[in-house]
């Protein structure tokens, strides 16, 4: 008579036990997934990590309770005590798993000392920008040279190659860490990392230097930023050098479509990359970035992810050079993860800059290395768009021409800025 009232009908005892066991196994499998789904879904409404965690546990309980109750009914244990105990154990297990993975901080070694030549600008934009300066020898020229690093978020350390030679030629030379990278400001609201903010910072630097016009030398993303500055403030640029420039228009080459620097890793390097990118805490932050970047930042802070990005940079530092090239020297100037992620995302939404750039007649030098991972058509776009430009291809050079061919790179910069004939880029 009891079976007649069962919602499962007159199951044979063995079938009931099997079904009950399967439901318990299903609950064990689905509860962590439900917790993860609730955690991420709640980010649509809040960036508070405690509220995200509560939402995850509530959804986990909503899955575990009915499955547990159905399972224990089939197993002949109708009391709520068994269901509650089972659900409690599952939630404790989910909590322990999350504490050991998603909520377990990644290593963050103490920051090294700031080099003695690093100074800071406090800009009216709100950015505190770290920079180094090579003062002009003799009588300074009126137009300073500003180097723009790549990434976004991958700063150099010290004066870049060619900078001291240009200073000896009478140029005041500056190299700075862009917002969110190196020793410059990290924003509390990471949605503030935009290409427009980078342009505004650069123009604030120009005005702070008291220069009507500046010379820009942009490496990789620094070339993309130079183009954005030309679009907004072309009359304030005397000359521009685009060294292995990234995409001219982000929307045209989203993601790694402009070129993938990770194509030439060794098996050991690929294994290390998979280890670095497979960390649960990083995966959780990546999922939150798609839903609510502020929640990702609340979960995993700048120091952790800047250090993670540093490890990735060390892994791939020689992957963009020609085969057999000497190793690139590493430095400890911090990377900028959120500056990288958010600025790239913003850059890929910007309108096409080419119509304006076609009217900008600033003398421009475009340099491309033989082994540059950036697609040739990306570089060629600069030559087609900028009316007063010339493109020089350099044999035996990778993405970092300054590293591969420092003497030739320096000679090209000096000749271009001093209005001399360019040296032949001999192999």
């Amino acid at each position: 008579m009891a079976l007649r009232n069962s919602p499962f009908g007159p199951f044979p005892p063995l079938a009931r036990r099997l079904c009950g066991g399967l439901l318990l196994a299903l609950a064990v499998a689905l509860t962590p997934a439900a917790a993860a789904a609730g955690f991420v879904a709640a980010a649509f409404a809040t960036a508070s990590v405690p509220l995200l965690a509560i939402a995850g546990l509530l959804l986990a309980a909503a899955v575990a309770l009915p499955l547990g109750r159905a399972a224990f009914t089939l197993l002949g244990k109708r009391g709520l005590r068994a269901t509650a105990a089972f659900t409690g154990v599952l939630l404790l297990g989910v909590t322990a798993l999350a504490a050991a993975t998603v909520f377990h901080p990644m290593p963050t070694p103490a920051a090294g000392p700031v080099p003695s030549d690093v100074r800071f600008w406090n800009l009216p934009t709100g950015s505190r920008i770290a920079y180094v300066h090579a003062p002009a020898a003799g009588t300074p020229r009126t137009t300073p040279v500003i180097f723009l690093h790549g990434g976004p978020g991958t700063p150099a350390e010290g004066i870049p190659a060619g900078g001291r030679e240009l200073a000896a030629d009478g140029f005041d030379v500056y190299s700075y860490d862009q917002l969110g990278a190196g020793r410059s400001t990290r924003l509390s609201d990471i949605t503030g990392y935009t290409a427009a903010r980078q342009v505004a910072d650069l123009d604030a630097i120009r005005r702070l230097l008291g220069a009507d016009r500046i010379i820009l030398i942009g490496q990789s993303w620094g070339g993309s930023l130079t183009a954005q500055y030309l679009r907004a403030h072309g009359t304030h640029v005397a000359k521009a050098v685009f060294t292995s420039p990234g995409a001219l228009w982000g929307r045209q080459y989203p993601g790694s479509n402009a070129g993938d620097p990770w194509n030439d890793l060794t098996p050991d390097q690929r294994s290390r990359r998979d280890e670095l990118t497979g960390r649960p805490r990083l995966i959780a932050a990546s999922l939150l970035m798609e839903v609510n970047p502020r929640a990702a930042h609340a979960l995993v802070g700048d120091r952790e992810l800047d250090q993670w990005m540093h490890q990735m940079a060390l892994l791939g530092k020689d992957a963009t050079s020609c085969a057999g090239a000497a190793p690139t020297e590493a430095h400890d100037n911090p990377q900028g993860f959120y500056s990288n992620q958010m600025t790239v995302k913003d850059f890929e939404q910007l309108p096409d800059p080419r119509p304006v750039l076609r009217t900008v007649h600033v003398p421009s030098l475009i340099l491309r290395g033989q082994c540059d991972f950036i697609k040739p058509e990306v570089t060629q776009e600069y030559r087609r768009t900028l009316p007063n430009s010339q493109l020089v291809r350099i044999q035996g050079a990778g993405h970092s021409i300054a590293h591969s061919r420092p003497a030739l790179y320096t000679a090209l910069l000096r000749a271009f800025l001093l209005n001399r004939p360019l040296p032949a880029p001999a192999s």
Side-chain angles (χ1 to χ4, degrees):
M1 295 296 292
L3 284 177
R4 191 178 306 161
N5 296 326
S6 168
F8 299 98
F11 278 16
L14 179 59
R16 288 175 19 232
R17 286 196 295 273
L18 287 174
C19 288
L22 287 172
L23 286 175
L24 290 177
L26 187 63
V28 171
L30 290 182
T31 299
F39 181 83
V40 174
F44 282 102
T46 181
S48 168
V49 174
L51 291 180
L52 300 182
I54 291 170
L57 288 175
L58 287 175
L59 187 56
V63 169
L65 277 169
L67 288 174
R69 182 177 181 184
F72 287 119
T73 298
L74 284 170
L75 295 172
K77 299 178 181 179
R78 293 176 175 275
L80 292 179
R81 183 177 299 174
T83 301
F86 173 74
T87 301
V89 168
L90 278 184
L91 295 183
L92 283 174
V94 167
T95 302
L97 179 63
T101 55
V102 172
F103 294 106
H104 184 69
M106 294 185 288
T108 52
V114 178
S116 59
D117 61 342
V118 174
R119 305 173 189 175
F120 292 89
W121 287 311
N122 291 307
L123 303 181
T125 59
S127 301
R128 185 172 188 261
I129 297 296
Y131 74 97
V132 289
H133 173 214
T139 303
R141 299 173 186 268
T142 58
T143 309
V145 173
I146 301 177
F147 282 85
L148 303 177
H149 65 71
T154 56
E157 182 73 291
I159 296 295
R164 298 207 178 276
E165 291 80 358
L166 292 176
D169 289 327
F171 293 98
D172 269 306
V173 176
Y174 297 87
S175 178
Y176 72 94
D177 298 341
Q178 295 159 26
L179 178 70
R183 301 178 180 91
S184 293
T185 301
R186 298 300 190 273
L187 296 179
S188 57
D189 181 358
I190 63 171
T191 62
Y193 291 122
T194 64
R197 176 65 177 268
Q198 298 282 11
V199 169
D201 281 350
L202 179 51
D203 197 53
I205 290 169
R206 177 191 65 79
R207 287 183 274 110
L208 185 148
L209 295 176
D212 180 60
R213 296 199 299 168
I214 53 179
I215 295 168
L216 298 177
I217 302 176
Q219 161 71 30
S220 193
W221 152 256
S224 304
L225 177 55
T226 296
Q228 288 295 313
Y229 189 83
L230 277 174
R231 178 181 181 273
H233 304 287
T235 58
H236 292 299
V237 180
K239 289 189 175 182
V241 179
F242 299 86
T243 305
S244 306
L248 183 63
W249 183 25
R251 195 179 302 178
Q252 194 175 20
Y253 296 99
S256 61
N257 288 349
D260 191 346
W262 302 101
N263 282 336
D264 295 324
L265 298 182
T266 66
D268 286 346
Q269 288 173 326
R270 291 183 184 279
S271 177
R272 174 61 174 159
R273 182 188 64 176
D274 293 343
E275 175 192 341
L276 287 170
T277 57
R279 293 176 177 176
R281 186 164 168 84
L282 177 68
I283 293 172
S286 299
L287 291 172
L288 290 175
M289 285 287 288
E290 298 300 318
V291 176
N292 184 345
R294 294 183 179 93
H297 189 230
L299 176 67
V300 189
D302 292 291
R303 284 190 61 197
E304 278 187 68
L305 284 176
D306 289 355
Q307 175 61 24
W308 175 89
M309 190 171 168
H310 178 66
Q311 295 300 315
M312 289 290 288
L314 290 176
L315 175 65
K317 70 182 179 66
D318 298 320
T320 62
S321 300
C322 295
T328 304
E329 184 177 352
H331 62 74
D332 293 324
N333 198 8
Q335 307 286 324
F337 176 84
Y338 286 111
S339 173
N340 174 276
Q341 296 291 299
M342 299 304 296
T343 306
V344 168
K345 184 177 182 180
D346 173 73
F347 180 61
E348 293 176 355
Q349 304 304 313
L350 297 181
D352 187 351
R354 292 173 298 181
V356 172
L357 291 176
R358 291 188 183 106
T359 69
V360 174
H361 291 267
V362 170
S364 300
L365 176 64
I366 305 158
L367 303 177
R368 175 180 176 79
Q370 172 192 8
C371 306
D372 192 357
F373 71 88
I374 299 291
K375 294 177 180 177
E377 53 267 31
V378 175
T379 311
Q380 189 63 37
E381 188 77 54
Y382 284 82
R383 177 65 190 89
R384 289 197 302 266
T385 302
L386 298 168
N388 191 11
S389 65
Q390 54 187 317
L391 170 61
V392 177
R393 297 177 176 86
I394 301 175
Q395 297 298 308
H399 190 58
S400 175
I401 300 170
H403 168 69
S404 306
R405 304 288 305 275
L408 177 57
Y409 178 68
T410 299
L412 285 165
L413 293 184
R414 294 185 66 214
F416 179 66
L417 299 191
L418 295 172
N419 299 315
R420 297 172 182 170
L422 297 183
S427 59

